[in-house]
Amino acid sequence: MFSVLGPHVTNGLSVAIGLIGTALILYAIGGLTAAATAGVGILIATMADLPAQKHHKLQQMLPGPLLGVPLFLAMQLSHDSIQQQAMVLICGSFVSFLAMAWGKRGGPVSAGMMFSMVFALAEQPPRGLFEALHRTGWFALGAGIYVVYGVVSNGLLNGLYRNQLLADAIKGFAGILRTQARRFDGHVHAGGVMSDMLTQQAALADALQSARDLVLESPRTPARQRRAAILMALLDARDHLLACDLDIDALARQGENATVQPALRDALLFRARQLETLATALLLGRGAPAQPLPYRPIPEITAPDNSALREVIARVATIASEVDRMYALAHGELKADIAAVRETWQLFISATTWSWMPLRSLQGWYAPTLRYALRGSLAIAIGYLVSQHLPWAAHPYWVLATIVVVLRASLAQTLERRNARIAGTIFGCVLVMVVLAEHPAPQVVLGVIALSSAVAHAFVVRRYFITSVAATLLGLMQAHLLAADVHPVFAAAERIADTVIGALIAWGCSYVLPVWEKSSVPQMVQRALAAQSRHAELALVPASTTSPDLQWRLARREAYDSLSALVQATARSRSEPRAVQPALEPLETLQALSYHMLAHLTAVKSMLQLRRGQLDMAVAEPALAAAAAAIARALTGSEPAAPRRSRAATVDPSQARPPDMLAADLTPWLLERLAVSQSLAAQMRAAADLSSGS
């Protein structure tokens, strides 16, 4: 259900409809030759056609085609000279790969520029300047018409995209709930669960940011406000689940609770099913999802004096209340309260404007994007040279296209793309043989092309193997229509050979001027520590009507995002040669400690918000301020990583006790939790120093 009805599939189908529709319009206007050239421009424009905010869709789609037009023309004009064509390819590739300085936003722009040149190789040499300009005009017209279609279709589908991206995030959180439920299985190793949890949290951080970018845009209407409120409730539920992890640690140390733990596991699994039901309803575009599944309460506790057990149950109940709040918001039974983001939603979304600022990161020989551009240019140069000396040189662009899609900024991503590209091409060629063996009518072939274009676009980020299969179908079916006299077996053999050659070139060049993850780890570590320090500063502010909730939410997002980036970089480094890998053990320790720090601060923040009356604020307020200052000093390195006589350094975070909610005064618990947080900060600093080799 989630794979079929997700935003990527909706977007893929929209792209396929626009691609085929625009091509048919241009075919009716200018004929097959004009439509074929315009189709290249259409393909370039589709690369940036992704779910986006309504007011920023045009500036998302324009750069690729605008920059692709002069490159397409340059390739047309250099057709008569291999040397000139090689220079255009090499210089154009360098500029194209530099677009990755803008991060994820730069990806479609870079790909559009590259494929403008690569697809131009498939064109027959023009007969003079006029024909080159004529073709470029059709290229620009096809891209321009599709850009208009992309903006309009994104506006029409915006509400559906909001639902689907929100459903994606809810499903990701449901998966984390299921992982947390495994903690109650005695035979499951806690370390393995922690590793899975960190990986899932990193994926959830990406899904949440994608949801924020659309769901929080201009939340003016009641429907938009409901979706935004559901997203905010999801973020709060994530915090409660994080704090619950600490209490599960305490509960796991008490063997007598083994009989109750299966009930707690079932409770979390039940809430995960509820969230999946809600996500499915959102995917189906229903105005209101189905009612929550009937809840079966946890059996009565047999150890009423067990504060750890009471706290875990309280946490599960809080998560359940957030799930119920999501349902109530979806049904319109609860008014959306999103004052924190209604007027400041721009602060929570990704950057949407283009500027020259990212180019400043290219200064210096060791700049990662600069090295990536040089590496990519070298790979394209080698690929072009090799393609000119192949016995089947009629399709040299296949080699170059493979290099473009396989060569990534990191070795781990390049290896993943290499394997997926080769396997997908082979599987796609087999499918082509099966389809063409039945001698399908042209209408069937066109249908396969349309479906292939939808699938290729839909899964290009999510699962590239599927995209590779679909792209192979698309390419060979187009070749079959344009050159029916070419035997399909020979075309497939060419495609496989070109793919293998291109993938090997990309893989080999990934070792040229490499930028190993080890070089970026120190900056990522410092970003994570700074984010944790800022989050601690705002989380330890006593809750009141004047508390900086907006700033705290922004700090919380940065803390999660910085930890997610560090987790992903560590995972990528495992594919690199052992000699250049960073110190993985302290990095993993730092990630686990950061996760626990977020959990401790979340527990404290929750206590300040919900149980302020059970705290002696005359004692708590100076303790909170002192703890925030001590954490900042430890994380920023302004004091030794592990002071010998510090009380905080003598506290074992794994032994932290959960609060006894029946106690009249929870101040002792707060003071202990603050001491634990200071200890964690000191340990994080020590792990950070080890990971950076200092």
Side-chain angles (χ1 to χ4, degrees):
M1 177 69 74
F2 291 103
S3 298
V4 175
L5 298 179
H8 55 294
V9 174
T10 301
N11 180 237
L13 291 173
S14 172
V15 166
I17 292 172
L19 191 153
I20 297 299
T22 305
L24 289 176
I25 291 173
L26 293 173
Y27 172 75
I29 296 174
L32 180 60
T33 302
T37 302
V40 177
I42 298 170
L43 283 173
I44 301 307
T46 64
M47 293 177 182
D49 188 5
L50 302 168
Q53 299 155 24
K54 293 176 67 174
H55 298 94
H56 299 282
K57 179 67 173 181
L58 181 61
Q59 64 189 62
Q60 178 195 44
M61 294 193 65
L62 270 181
L66 283 178
L67 296 173
V69 166
L71 291 175
F72 182 85
L73 176 60
M75 287 298 296
Q76 291 287 310
L77 295 176
S78 63
H79 253 299
D80 294 334
S81 171
I82 294 179
Q83 292 78 10
Q84 291 180 10
Q85 201 169 66
M87 289 302 299
V88 172
L89 272 172
I90 295 171
C91 295
S93 299
F94 179 76
V95 175
S96 300
F97 284 114
L98 285 182
M100 293 305 299
W102 281 266
K104 289 184 178 180
R105 289 192 304 148
V109 178
S110 176
M113 296 170 67
M114 283 301 309
F115 279 110
S116 295
M117 296 185 294
V118 171
F119 289 152
L121 286 174
E123 298 274 345
Q124 294 295 321
R127 295 185 297 272
L129 176 62
F130 177 79
E131 185 172 355
L133 292 172
H134 182 72
R135 291 180 181 178
T136 304
W138 281 108
F139 174 96
L141 180 61
I145 293 177
Y146 187 88
V147 166
V148 174
Y149 167 83
V151 172
V152 173
S153 64
N154 182 76
L156 295 175
L157 295 172
N158 192 261
L160 181 57
Y161 284 148
R162 290 171 185 257
N163 283 348
Q164 292 175 331
L165 288 168
L166 181 57
D168 256 9
I170 292 174
K171 177 180 176 291
F173 179 70
I176 296 178
L177 272 182
R178 292 186 178 277
T179 300
Q180 187 73 287
R182 291 166 50 199
R183 294 286 305 277
F184 294 110
D185 294 335
H187 62 279
V188 175
H189 189 266
V193 174
M194 173 61 71
S195 177
D196 292 344
M197 190 75 75
L198 286 170
T199 302
Q200 289 178 305
Q201 287 282 5
L204 178 61
D206 288 341
L208 285 172
Q209 189 55 54
S210 297
R212 286 191 193 98
D213 289 342
L214 263 72
V215 173
L216 297 185
E217 181 195 13
S218 300
R220 303 285 186 255
T221 67
R224 290 186 179 185
Q225 291 175 5
R226 283 197 300 271
R227 296 296 178 257
I230 291 174
L231 179 59
M232 303 304 287
L234 178 63
L235 293 170
D236 292 339
R238 177 182 62 170
D239 282 350
H240 292 304
L241 181 65
L242 196 64
C244 180
D245 194 62
L246 299 176
D247 303 314
I248 293 177
D249 285 336
L251 188 63
R253 296 193 295 268
Q254 302 173 0
E256 66 271 15
N257 299 309
T259 57
V260 184
Q261 292 188 28
L264 292 169
R265 177 199 60 208
D266 292 343
L268 287 178
L269 292 176
F270 170 78
R271 292 302 174 180
R273 289 195 298 272
Q274 280 192 318
L275 287 171
E276 289 165 353
T277 300
L278 175 60
T280 301
L282 289 171
L283 284 176
L284 294 174
R286 297 174 181 168
Q291 290 289 343
L293 300 171
Y295 177 59
R296 292 171 295 179
I298 301 172
E300 184 178 353
I301 302 173
T302 57
D305 60 338
N306 190 324
S307 60
L309 188 55
R310 279 200 303 270
E311 180 61 8
V312 172
I313 293 177
R315 293 290 183 192
V316 173
T318 304
I319 294 170
S321 68
E322 295 293 346
V323 175
D324 293 338
R325 180 153 70 104
M326 294 181 209
Y327 272 90
L329 287 165
H331 280 279
E333 300 169 358
L334 184 65
K335 183 179 179 181
D337 182 12
I338 55 170
V341 297
R342 183 178 290 116
E343 302 299 330
T344 58
W345 58 269
Q346 295 92 340
L347 298 175
F348 291 88
I349 65 173
S350 303
T352 55
T353 58
W354 297 95
S355 72
W356 298 107
M357 291 294 292
L359 292 180
R360 293 186 178 182
S361 65
L362 302 180
Q363 298 177 0
W365 175 245
Y366 290 96
T369 304
L370 177 61
R371 289 192 160 210
Y372 177 50
L374 292 170
R375 194 184 315 132
S377 301
L378 175 63
I380 291 296
I382 295 174
Y384 181 73
L385 178 64
V386 171
S387 67
Q388 296 301 313
H389 295 84
L390 293 175
W392 53 89
H395 304 292
Y397 61 92
W398 279 350
V399 175
L400 300 183
T402 298
I403 293 173
V404 172
V405 298
V406 170
L407 185 61
R408 303 287 93 185
S410 72
L411 177 61
Q413 294 169 331
T414 298
L415 292 175
E416 182 181 358
R417 282 292 185 99
R418 179 201 65 184
N419 298 338
R421 180 74 174 184
I422 293 176
T425 299
I426 294 174
F427 189 71
C429 288
V430 172
L431 288 181
V432 169
M433 297 298 101
V434 172
V435 173
L436 295 183
E438 300 297 326
H439 303 288
Q443 295 85 344
V444 175
V445 175
L446 287 173
V448 173
I449 291 174
L451 180 61
S452 299
S453 65
V455 173
H457 185 86
F459 290 92
V460 66
V461 174
R462 300 222 169 195
R463 193 175 179 189
Y464 187 73
F465 169 76
I466 297 177
T467 291
S468 182
V469 173
T472 302
L473 274 170
L474 177 64
L476 291 180
M477 286 298 184
Q478 284 180 326
H480 176 72
L481 281 180
L482 296 176
D485 56 329
V486 178
H487 196 280
V489 174
F490 182 68
E494 282 186 4
R495 184 64 178 244
I496 293 173
D498 288 341
T499 298
V500 172
I501 292 171
L504 291 177
I505 292 173
W507 176 36
C509 287
S510 64
Y511 292 91
V512 177
L513 297 176
V515 179
W516 306 118
E517 296 295 338
K518 184 178 182 178
S519 64
S520 61
V521 162
Q523 291 79 12
M524 290 187 175
V525 167
Q526 292 306 313
R527 177 193 172 192
L529 294 181
Q532 291 280 352
S533 177
R534 177 61 175 166
H535 179 246
E537 176 188 352
L538 296 173
L540 298 181
V541 173
S544 66
T545 56
T546 60
S547 293
D549 184 70
L550 172 63
Q551 295 302 319
W552 168 69
R553 288 184 179 277
L554 291 171
R556 178 181 65 175
R557 182 190 69 171
E558 173 60 11
Y560 277 110
D561 289 350
S562 61
L563 179 57
S564 169
L566 187 59
V567 170
Q568 293 173 349
T570 303
R572 291 194 299 268
S573 70
R574 297 182 187 279
S575 300
E576 297 176 346
R578 189 178 300 274
V580 298
Q581 288 181 356
L584 294 177
E585 184 174 349
L587 273 178
E588 293 169 349
T589 300
L590 176 60
Q591 293 162 21
L593 291 171
S594 300
Y595 184 83
H596 283 302
M597 174 67 88
L598 284 171
H600 280 278
L601 294 178
T602 297
V604 172
K605 182 72 173 178
S606 176
M607 182 66 65
L608 293 173
Q609 290 176 328
L610 303 176
R611 299 186 180 274
R612 183 184 177 90
Q614 292 174 263
L615 297 171
D616 183 352
M617 297 308 297
V619 176
E621 289 191 7
L624 289 166
I631 291 172
R633 288 194 302 270
L635 294 180
T636 57
S638 57
E639 69 176 25
R644 293 181 180 179
R645 296 183 180 180
S646 170
R647 178 195 171 197
T650 65
V651 179
D652 183 0
S654 67
Q655 301 299 319
R657 296 174 299 170
D660 185 355
M661 296 306 179
L662 300 181
D665 185 10
L666 292 175
T667 307
W669 172 88
L670 176 64
L671 296 177
E672 178 183 332
R673 194 56 62 100
L674 293 177
V676 169
S677 298
Q678 295 175 66
S679 176
L680 282 170
Q683 294 178 54
M684 288 168 62
R685 180 76 257 174
D689 291 342
L690 289 173
S691 68
S692 301
S694 59

